[in-house]
Amino acid sequence: MRYFAFWLSLFIFGACTGSPKDTRPDLRTLSWPRIEKQAGGTTVYMMMWQGDPLINRYMAEYITPTVKERYGINLQIAPGQGTEIVKTLLAEKEAGRQASSIDLCWINGETFYQLRQIEALYGPFTDLLPNAQYIDFGNPFIGYDFQQKVDGYECPWGNVQLAVIYDTTRTPEPPRTLEALGQYVRKHPGKFTIPYEFTGMTLLKSWMIALAGNPDALNGPFDETKYAQLSGQLWDFINQNKAYFWRNGNTFPESLAATHQMFANGELDFTFSNNDSEVDNKILQNIFPATARAYVFDSGTIQNSHFLGIPATATNKAGALAVLNFMISPEAQLEKMQPAVWGDGTVLDLEKLPAKWRNRFENTPGRRYAPRRQEINEKALQEPAPEYMIRLYRDFREQVIEN
Amino acid sequence: MTIQSRSEILFVAFFILAALFPLAAGLSYALAYSMGIAGALGTGFTLQYWQTVLGHSGFWTSAGLSMAVAAGCVLLSTGLALAIVLTFQRQLVHSRLRFGIYWPLAIPPIVAAFWGFQLLGSSGLLARFAAGTGLIQGPEDFPPLINDPGQVGVILVLTMATFPFFTVVAQQFFRSEHIPELMRLARTLGASHRQAVWRIAVPVLLRKLRPVLVLYSVFLFGAYEVPLILGNQSNRMISILIAQKFRRFDLLELPQAYVITVLYALIVLGMLIGFRPGRETKGHAL
Amino acid sequence: MKKAFFTGLILVLALPFVYLPLLSLATQWRFPLLIPDELTLQHWTQALSIGGISGSLLFSAFTALAVALACTALGFRVARTIARHPHRQTLVAIAYLPYAFSPVIYAFCLQFFFLKTSLNGTVAGVFLGQFLIVFPFTIILFVNHWTPRLRAMEELVYTLGGTPAAAWSRVLLPISRPALLNGLFQTFLLSWFEYGLTSVIGQGRVPTLPVRVYQYIGEANPYFAALGSTLLICPPLLFLWLNHRFQQKIHA
């Protein structure tokens, strides 16, 4: 039995030696060149949604090699989004781990809110980044994330607006109101569905605002009565029409990629994108037919930004900052904006940019199939408070899918 | 104590440490978490999460569905395996089938799931074949075989992955139990071919296969990759339910994830103790 | 009828091995095309140069090899002890527990401890996690190999004045070669195929091939998923073929 006790003690001893405490100086006291120097030659672990081949390619073929070349940083990307990031960091907290497995993560809205709640984010840090001077923080769609002030705890990375994608040959006159959509669905059974993921839930928020009849209806903190009333109407609308949805509304696709694929195959008449110019990049990739177009409902759709955050327990904050600073640099933002690359809207304020860069942004060959940005800007709705998103995820599951 | 017996104790201790200790520790933590004793969300001892899970239909439908899928696959696979062994005996010994029957063992579950998606999806290979022969006009006419509430795709793909293994094992028993000789003997004693099959071959094979069938029922009950890709989201198999409660659903549902984990462990334990697959198997457990 | 059944059977067995490589060579293979219009090597050149697939291939091969070697060696030796243990039945029953448990659920149970020891998201962690499922399996695999007959042979060596070392090197290992090879093969595959536990313990930071394939399925990139799948089924197929040749030699 002595041996067993020995092994056991070895195991327990092993279990108790936590990670070493971070003894490096506080980054806030360092100058940017010192931070860059500290970042050199390190590995940065980034967790992000990997549901789009183009975005993955932008990261793998542009960001990763460039930071490697300039700073010697080895950027490693792991898949994970939203709640997964929250739960990973919560589990690390529960285990009392001082060193997170993540250095940088792609977040927004309800994820940001939950991470702030469990105090898992590092910050404020945006003022440390030299390139943050160009960011358009004055724009409420950029400086606020789901009604929460960003406060330097996450850095804007891209700005987009939800758009509906359809094929002009199949649907010459797409429905522009909720009512028209209801009629369309009944006339064309099986051709419509709502993806049960971030984009689909964002669509539902746009509809809730449409049902309220006032673009500012959901601004301000979470309001239970308002939510109950509007979501009730929403579930009624969906459940009344559900029988005419794809697969009779018994199933909803769980990924946007799958929804895109079914649209491309002609199985669905509509797909959605949180990125108003995605239709361009999908046509360029030959995934969507060249007759595909995007539009925004008359009642408007949500415009929001997506952000990058650094966990409070990240072991390589200097590396994360260096990568982040590059990701918001004019060159990386311009590259990201090309429809053939990703087509993601920039968070930079062109007025603040040096003339040389402003020129390049203004003269870059733009979108051909997506609606014009100024046009849909007028129909942009602000993101409601994060609790709406959290509740919609749960209630859509309970009220629609499992009903 | 001799050196030899000391090392023997060490090996047993190592075995316990690797096979039993982590599982016991993990389940103890799960139990503590499920009762609010451990974890950041814990607020002290409570049975509230247990009440929620046991009182809500979600867990029961998942457990029932997983049982049904496991039973369906085992039944189908056993039927297929016995039919192949009894019908294609000559080919199993001499033709390319002898090698071919092993092929599916080279397919990992994640690839089987992907293959099922490509084969059975509404714009998949079968649908294209149907469209080519004019049976359907477009993908929307093809019956939903994947992500469907009936779990047809999950059952089909899991069966495709299981029956070759059952066939291989049944074939081994067919030889080792001298079933051809027994059948011949029965025929000389006046039994019909049918009787020889149903009264001798099938019962003997089933009795020998029983431990493998039980073990596979447990595996299939906890299957993950195939229902992850081909399953239906309002009707989740238990591994999927647990994984989603751990990863995707609302933060506050985390303790429920641990409740279901403990319940899953109890069911597996019950199946293993109830049927004791270990008693007679001979390491046929791939 | 019988013939149709046989043809159907061969089709079910062989089709994935034709379809998956073909899909990895296709582009824009859309409904309702039964066969792709054109074949190209573009996915292969792209994936192997930058796609991270080659890294995954190495990760997977390394992990599977390490797990197979460690589990087979230890399992073979520990199974001997268990086979001769007075509580053999109980111990073997224990070995079934982690093996029968769904790996992904086991991983969630273990996650807390792996986080505590900083093993989450590391190759060492994935190795240990896989070891914890595969090692008990080797006990089940080898416990019946240690028959009374083998024990009698071992004791004969001692009676004739041989040392334990001689018993192992001259008798036990040579006679067990086929069993050991089979053990290596099966444990390699268990690790090579593993997705559920690896995705949880590895947190996506240990991108083995199955993890990579799942990622491609998730981004609706069927060509890359097919490419990863093709790579996944090749080594086991090779093993099966070698085993088949080996068997044929024995029978010949």
Side-chain angles (χ1 to χ4, degrees):
Chain A
M1 278 325 281
R2 279 182 299 147
Y3 289 99
F4 183 60
F6 168 74
W7 278 97
L8 197 65
S9 67
L10 205 72
F11 193 87
I12 291 169
F13 177 73
C16 289
T17 51
S19 340
K21 279 252 191 279
D22 196 349
T23 52
R24 284 166 300 184
D26 183 3
L27 292 170
R28 297 206 64 85
T29 63
L30 297 182
S31 66
W32 182 252
R34 291 272 312 270
I35 294 178
E36 268 186 354
K37 206 172 151 210
Q38 206 185 88
T42 59
T43 298
V44 172
Y45 288 100
M46 176 173 182
M47 192 176 255
M48 63 177 272
W49 177 68
Q50 291 203 297
D52 185 288
L54 268 201
I55 298 176
N56 294 346
R57 200 190 277 183
Y58 171 71
M59 292 305 294
E61 294 177 20
Y62 179 74
I63 298 287
T64 307
T66 318
V67 295
K68 176 95 204 165
E69 187 189 306
R70 295 203 192 156
Y71 310 105
I73 291 177
N74 177 14
L75 180 62
Q76 296 280 343
I77 296 172
Q81 58 167 316
T83 326
E84 279 176 61
I85 298 176
V86 181
K87 286 185 172 167
T88 306
L89 291 174
L90 180 71
E92 288 180 354
K93 230 181 162 59
E94 282 173 344
R97 199 162 151 179
Q98 296 298 316
S100 174
S101 57
I102 310 173
D103 297 314
L104 188 61
C105 48
W106 187 14
I107 54 179
N108 80 345
E110 87 283 7
T111 309
F112 177 59
Y113 167 77
Q114 289 175 330
L115 289 177
R116 284 302 304 268
Q117 270 192 329
I118 60 169
E119 293 176 347
L121 282 179
Y122 168 70
F125 68 83
T126 41
D127 54 333
L128 294 174
L129 307 168
N131 284 329
Q133 59 174 311
Y134 306 125
I135 292 180
D136 191 4
F137 280 111
N139 180 340
F141 290 103
I142 291 174
Y144 284 81
D145 186 11
F146 285 46
Q147 309 278 326
Q148 317 153 81
K149 207 159 188 315
V150 171
D151 270 341
Y153 280 84
E154 58 175 359
C155 180
W157 187 26
N159 174 269
V160 287
Q161 183 167 347
L162 184 110
V164 185
I165 297 169
Y166 68 108
D167 185 345
T168 43
T169 51
R170 278 185 275 153
T171 317
E173 287 296 324
R176 291 183 179 270
T177 63
L178 212 49
E179 209 192 340
L181 179 73
Q183 287 163 2
Y184 184 93
V185 166
R186 280 164 187 270
K187 236 169 116 186
H188 304 89
K191 295 288 202 180
F192 181 86
T193 193
I194 301 164
Y196 180 50
E197 48 71 71
F198 189 86
T199 305
M201 296 306 105
T202 307
L203 176 74
L204 295 187
K205 279 189 284 188
S206 307
W207 285 357
M208 264 171 58
I209 297 172
L211 286 167
N214 166 14
D216 301 323
L218 292 185
N219 285 359
F222 179 74
D223 182 334
E224 180 69 48
T225 20
K226 241 193 251 173
Y227 173 78
Q229 192 215 334
L230 291 173
S231 69
Q233 288 180 35
L234 182 65
W235 307 140
D236 282 348
F237 170 76
I238 294 175
N239 286 328
Q240 275 163 20
N241 292 302
K242 183 167 102 159
Y244 304 96
F245 282 16
W246 176 72
R247 298 269 177 94
N248 307 323
N250 287 323
T251 307
F252 293 84
E254 292 214 358
S255 86
L256 195 60
T259 318
H260 285 346
Q261 223 176 17
M262 290 192 288
F263 168 73
N265 273 327
E267 214 177 331
L268 291 174
D269 279 350
F270 302 96
T271 184
F272 310 93
S273 176
N274 245 331
N275 176 358
D276 40 294
S277 76
E278 180 160 8
V279 66
D280 275 272
N281 81 37
K282 288 288 176 299
I283 290 176
L284 287 172
Q285 282 181 90
N286 277 320
I287 290 176
F288 290 169
T291 45
R293 294 290 180 277
Y295 73 104
V296 163
F297 288 118
D298 286 347
S299 51
T301 55
I302 304 260
Q303 183 181 123
N304 67 22
S305 292
H306 44 99
F307 299 81
L308 295 161
I310 300 174
T313 47
T315 48
N316 185 10
K317 297 194 180 80
L321 286 170
V323 171
L324 220 163
N325 189 53
F326 175 69
M327 287 166 85
I328 57 166
S329 66
E331 54 177 313
Q333 289 271 315
L334 182 66
E335 174 77 12
K336 182 161 67 82
M337 216 170 90
Q338 322 266 352
V341 175
W342 171 352
D344 190 29
T346 182
V347 293
L348 304 182
D349 182 352
L350 301 192
E351 302 297 318
K352 291 182 182 168
L353 286 179
K356 174 188 100 178
W357 280 110
R358 194 184 322 143
N359 254 330
R360 290 189 57 186
F361 267 94
E362 278 163 359
N363 293 320
T364 186
R367 44 182 78 191
R368 291 171 53 200
Y369 310 101
R372 296 247 305 278
R373 203 70 205 261
Q374 292 90 325
E375 203 176 289
I376 61 171
N377 243 335
E378 291 159 17
K379 294 183 192 163
L381 304 171
Q382 271 193 43
E383 275 284 7
E387 290 94 328
Y388 288 104
M389 190 72 156
I390 297 170
R391 290 289 293 275
L392 279 176
Y393 263 114
R394 197 184 69 200
D395 294 342
F396 186 76
R397 173 156 53 89
E398 288 177 1
Q399 304 290 328
V400 178
I401 300 180
E402 288 170 4
N403 188 351
Chain B
M1 221 195 279
T2 64
I3 296 172
Q4 209 182 350
S5 69
R6 261 192 220 168
S7 65
E8 295 301 290
I9 290 175
L10 196 73
F11 284 128
V12 174
F14 177 79
F15 169 72
I16 299 284
L17 192 66
L20 188 61
F21 181 69
L23 190 62
L27 286 174
S28 309
Y29 182 73
L31 192 65
Y33 206 116
S34 74
M35 293 179 165
I37 307 168
L41 306 171
T43 48
F45 179 79
T46 171
L47 287 177
Q48 147 202 1
Y49 307 118
W50 280 81
Q51 283 164 348
T52 315
V53 168
L54 294 175
H56 195 266
S57 62
F59 162 71
W60 298 106
T61 19
S62 276
L65 175 75
S66 305
M67 290 269 184
V69 168
C73 291
V74 167
L75 226 64
L76 279 171
S77 303
T78 313
L80 270 170
L82 293 184
I84 293 168
V85 167
L86 294 169
T87 322
F88 301 123
Q89 194 45 230
R90 197 169 42 80
Q91 288 89 334
L92 273 174
V93 180
H94 299 295
S95 82
R96 55 202 152 150
L97 185 61
R98 185 183 132 98
F99 184 34
I101 197 73
Y102 282 91
W103 286 348
L105 304 184
I107 301 182
I110 193 92
V111 176
F114 175 63
W115 162 235
F117 186 84
Q118 293 293 321
L119 179 69
L120 305 170
S122 47
S123 53
L125 209 55
L126 274 183
R128 290 170 195 214
F129 194 72
T133 53
L135 277 171
I136 61 168
Q137 298 307 315
E140 62 276 7
D141 298 338
F142 195 70
L145 295 179
I146 58 170
N147 310 121
D148 57 310
Q151 317 283 339
V152 176
V154 174
I155 295 178
L156 281 180
V157 170
L158 287 176
T159 303
M160 279 200 284
T162 308
F163 89 85
F165 179 69
F166 282 14
T167 311
V168 168
V169 179
Q171 173 67 9
Q172 281 169 10
F173 287 134
F174 191 77
R175 301 263 134 189
S176 68
E177 299 302 305
H178 307 289
I179 289 176
E181 289 82 355
L182 287 176
M183 284 171 78
R184 224 170 2 229
L185 187 68
R187 294 294 294 278
T188 51
L189 293 175
S192 68
H193 177 69
R194 216 188 145 96
Q195 278 174 321
V197 166
W198 286 101
R199 296 274 178 85
I200 294 173
V202 172
V204 172
L205 284 176
L206 279 181
R207 193 168 48 79
K208 293 300 290 182
L209 276 173
R210 206 185 126 247
V212 179
L213 303 187
V214 172
L215 200 60
Y216 261 74
S217 304
V218 180
F219 288 161
L220 292 166
F221 178 70
Y224 179 59
E225 291 90 339
V226 174
L228 179 68
I229 290 165
L230 303 177
N232 176 274
Q233 79 239 82
S234 47
N235 251 333
R236 296 176 205 88
M237 278 182 73
I238 196 146
S239 294
I240 307 294
L241 180 71
I242 291 176
Q244 293 200 329
K245 289 239 179 217
F246 268 113
R247 284 207 271 221
R248 291 196 55 182
F249 294 176
D250 205 316
L251 215 50
L252 300 175
E253 293 189 25
L254 216 46
Q256 292 180 27
Y258 283 105
V259 173
I260 305 174
T261 302
V262 175
L263 287 169
Y264 165 81
L266 289 176
I267 296 173
V268 168
L269 208 63
M271 286 167 91
L272 287 179
I273 292 175
F275 302 104
R276 300 263 192 100
R279 231 193 264 158
E280 337 170 34
T281 36
K282 285 192 189 151
H284 281 306
L286 183 79
Chain C
M1 174 69 193
K2 199 171 152 180
K3 201 157 177 201
F5 184 28
F6 189 73
T7 318
L9 182 63
I10 293 290
L11 217 59
V12 165
L13 296 176
L15 205 55
F17 298 95
V18 180
Y19 178 82
L20 293 171
L22 192 65
L23 182 59
S24 77
L25 293 171
T27 55
Q28 303 199 37
W29 186 8
R30 285 209 208 118
F31 186 87
L33 291 179
L34 210 48
I35 311 172
D37 279 338
E38 55 167 310
L39 297 180
T40 158
L41 278 173
Q42 90 184 58
H43 305 305
W44 283 89
T45 46
Q46 200 185 349
L48 293 177
S49 60
I50 37 99
I53 281 243
S54 16
S56 291
L57 197 62
L58 275 177
F59 255 134
S60 273
F62 171 75
T63 316
L65 212 60
V67 168
L69 284 172
C71 289
T72 307
L74 274 164
F76 187 68
R77 181 59 190 85
V78 173
R80 176 177 178 261
T81 304
I82 288 177
R84 297 171 185 178
H85 200 275
H87 297 295
R88 171 183 168 146
Q89 287 282 347
T90 319
L91 291 171
V92 173
I94 288 174
Y96 272 94
L97 284 178
Y99 176 57
F101 221 75
S102 179
V104 68
I105 304 178
Y106 193 16
F108 282 121
C109 286
L110 292 173
Q111 202 181 22
F112 173 77
F113 302 98
F114 275 68
L115 278 163
K116 263 253 177 273
T117 47
S118 296
L119 283 167
N120 242 37
T122 64
V123 182
V126 168
F127 168 80
L128 183 64
Q130 293 192 352
F131 181 87
L132 293 181
I133 349 178
V134 180
F135 171 69
F137 165 72
T138 56
I139 302 298
I140 301 167
L141 193 69
F142 288 131
V143 78
N144 288 315
H145 175 75
W146 292 100
T147 52
R149 189 172 148 263
L150 203 60
R151 183 173 200 166
M153 289 171 74
E154 193 184 339
E155 271 157 10
L156 192 64
V157 178
Y158 302 142
T159 325
L160 297 173
T163 60
W168 279 95
S169 65
R170 297 282 174 82
V171 179
L172 296 178
L173 288 179
I175 208 169
S176 310
R177 239 183 63 177
L180 282 169
L181 270 177
N182 177 37
L184 274 177
F185 165 59
Q186 297 210 27
T187 48
F188 180 90
L189 287 195
L190 277 181
S191 164
W192 181 254
F193 286 1
E194 218 298 314
Y195 169 73
L197 176 132
T198 309
S199 71
V200 176
I201 301 283
Q203 279 185 333
R205 280 175 54 165
V206 185
T208 58
L209 264 183
V211 170
R212 197 64 83 173
V213 168
Y214 181 71
Q215 184 205 320
Y216 292 136
I217 298 172
E219 65 179 41
N221 193 346
Y223 310 112
F224 272 55
L227 192 154
S229 299
T230 306
L231 288 175
L232 268 172
I233 55 183
C234 279
L237 216 53
L238 182 74
F239 289 152
L240 281 175
W241 183 73
L242 286 175
N243 182 51
H244 183 66
R245 288 292 301 265
F246 182 65
Q247 301 269 336
Q248 271 181 335
K249 244 192 190 158
I250 289 179
H251 285 287

